[in-house]
Amino acid sequence: MDGTALLTITVLAVFVGFEVVSKVSSTLHTPLMSGANAIHGIILVGAIIVAGQAADPWVLAVALLAVVLATANLVGGFVVTDRMLHMFHARKDAAPRGAVQPETGSK
């Protein structure tokens, strides 16, 4: 394929990806993040394999950049997913429903 066709496919993929992700409800976002993290793990393994077999310095540089970006994306995805899951945990200092809160202020 020539460069124009590859650029066209990339631009269309960005638009389709944006439209698909923007339509996802917040309830489904955390499970989809976990699935995306699994895909990024596969991409990281592929980038490492390509970097290990690179004979040309240009291919090695691009492959190492892919490893760095895939690692950052993978770790960042897990951090975001972990933070989102912590939003669903009950607070330790929260009183049970119906419990009377002790007064802490002075009169």
Side-chain angles (χ1 to χ4, degrees):
M1 277 197 221
D2 62 336
T4 307
L6 292 175
L7 182 63
T8 303
I9 291 170
T10 302
V11 169
L12 289 175
V14 167
F15 283 128
V16 170
F18 177 78
E19 286 299 316
V20 168
V21 170
S22 66
K23 304 291 188 248
V24 173
S25 69
S26 58
T27 307
L28 294 175
H29 192 267
T30 302
L32 288 176
M33 280 290 289
S34 298
N37 287 338
I39 293 170
H40 291 135
I42 295 169
I43 292 170
L44 177 60
V45 170
I48 291 170
I49 291 171
V50 169
Q53 296 178 351
D56 188 26
W58 174 249
V59 174
L60 180 62
V62 172
L64 290 177
L65 177 66
V67 168
V68 169
L69 293 176
T71 302
N73 201 1
L74 182 66
V75 171
F78 278 116
V79 168
V80 169
T81 302
D82 186 53
R83 290 181 69 187
M84 289 177 67
L85 289 174
H86 280 297
M87 291 184 344
F88 296 107
H89 288 281
R91 291 187 177 169
K92 302 278 189 222
D93 58 359
R97 281 193 175 173
V100 177
Q101 293 287 335
E103 286 191 34
T104 58
S106 61
K107 292 186 179 184

